[in-house]
Amino acid sequence: MNDEREDSLIRAAAIGDRLAFDELVRRHLRPLLSYATRLVSDPTTAEDVTQETFIAAWRNLPDYEQRSSFRTWLFTIASRKAIDLRRRRSAIPTEDDRLDGPDRRNSDPYDQYVGQTLLQALQVELERLSYHARACWWLREVEGLSHDEIATALAITRGSVRGHLQRARAHLTQQLAPWNPDSHDRSETQRSRDRSSDGKDDL
């Protein structure tokens, strides 16, 4: 839900108050750019998507009826712009502080290394997902949108959102298993059992 301050900014911007719209841009620039970056990979293209999203929002604000949150409305526009521009995307990964590694002030060098390699692996695996699976995962896990909001932003059904999320989570769980302590513990237990079984076979 929009807070009262944001609602007043939206109303003012809708009647042409540029300063109010600039404040809305400041509020939403960072998450929108992060989302665009995940969709198109190339930083320059992501900036283009973000810029075109805000231009479209400024032009269409008088028609915004608050049927969805302003944030969801922006993600809807960005999703459409990304589809229009994604032919230009590249496979170059980009740094993104929405997916930061562990706080270096509070972790030892080994933890920093593990966190950084996990971040890099996550970025790679996100790129291997389909466009909609990647978008659904980001909007749910990073932006915290509901299934209904994601369906609105991507113009797909709620059932499709669930399906894309399930596939994305299954893929990431499998591919990032080496960084999962539980998975590591299970592997160690299984190796111990295997060694024990080998020993019994020798008796």
Side-chain angles (χ1 to χ4, degrees):
M1 297 293 292
N2 297 324
D3 58 37
E4 292 183 4
R5 170 59 177 163
E6 180 150 298
D7 286 342
S8 66
L9 289 171
I10 292 168
R11 288 193 296 270
I15 59 175
D17 187 333
R18 191 54 189 260
L19 291 178
F21 186 73
D22 288 345
E23 176 61 25
L24 290 171
V25 170
R26 282 192 290 272
R27 285 184 169 213
H28 295 280
L29 175 60
R30 182 177 174 184
L32 197 63
L33 180 58
S34 295
Y35 176 57
T37 300
R38 288 306 131 200
L39 293 182
V40 300
S41 302
D42 175 55
T44 301
T45 305
E47 291 175 359
D48 291 341
V49 168
T50 303
Q51 182 178 33
E52 291 192 16
T53 296
F54 283 123
I55 291 172
W58 171 249
R59 290 173 177 169
N60 292 285
L61 255 178
D63 299 323
Y64 171 59
E65 299 177 348
Q66 298 191 9
R67 294 176 181 174
S68 61
S69 70
F70 186 70
R71 180 177 64 157
T72 300
W73 187 60
L74 288 177
F75 284 135
T76 301
I77 298 172
S79 299
R80 293 170 183 165
K81 296 298 181 182
I83 290 174
D84 291 340
L85 293 173
R86 62 178 174 161
R87 297 191 197 123
R88 296 163 47 194
R89 71 179 178 179
S90 69
I92 303 173
T94 182
E95 293 298 325
D96 187 342
D97 55 9
R98 297 301 299 278
L99 281 178
D100 275 342
D103 189 340
R104 296 185 178 183
R105 295 168 300 178
N106 300 318
S107 60
D108 62 30
Y110 177 75
D111 288 339
Q112 293 174 24
Y113 169 76
V114 171
Q116 187 61 34
T117 57
L118 171 59
L119 173 60
Q120 292 170 351
L122 176 58
Q123 290 173 336
V124 169
E125 296 307 328
L126 285 174
E127 287 299 317
R128 292 175 177 170
L129 294 172
S130 69
Y131 171 85
H132 280 105
R134 184 165 66 248
C136 285
W137 185 91
W138 186 270
L139 290 176
R140 180 60 181 166
E141 304 297 342
V142 178
E143 297 300 336
L145 268 63
S146 69
H147 288 193
D148 288 336
E149 288 175 320
I150 296 170
T152 297
L154 299 178
I156 59 179
T157 66
R158 196 173 188 276
S160 294
V161 171
R162 286 197 301 269
H164 286 306
L165 280 173
Q166 288 171 356
R167 285 187 287 275
R169 287 165 175 166
H171 174 82
L172 294 175
T173 296
Q174 179 180 15
Q175 297 302 318
L176 302 179
W179 287 268
N180 186 333
D182 292 337
S183 175
H184 178 73
D185 292 342
R186 286 195 296 270
S187 298
E188 288 294 330
T189 300
Q190 185 61 49
R191 283 194 289 270
S192 296
R193 289 175 179 172
D194 291 342
R195 287 194 294 269
S196 178
S197 297
D198 291 342
K200 289 180 180 179
D201 291 340
D202 292 337
L203 295 177

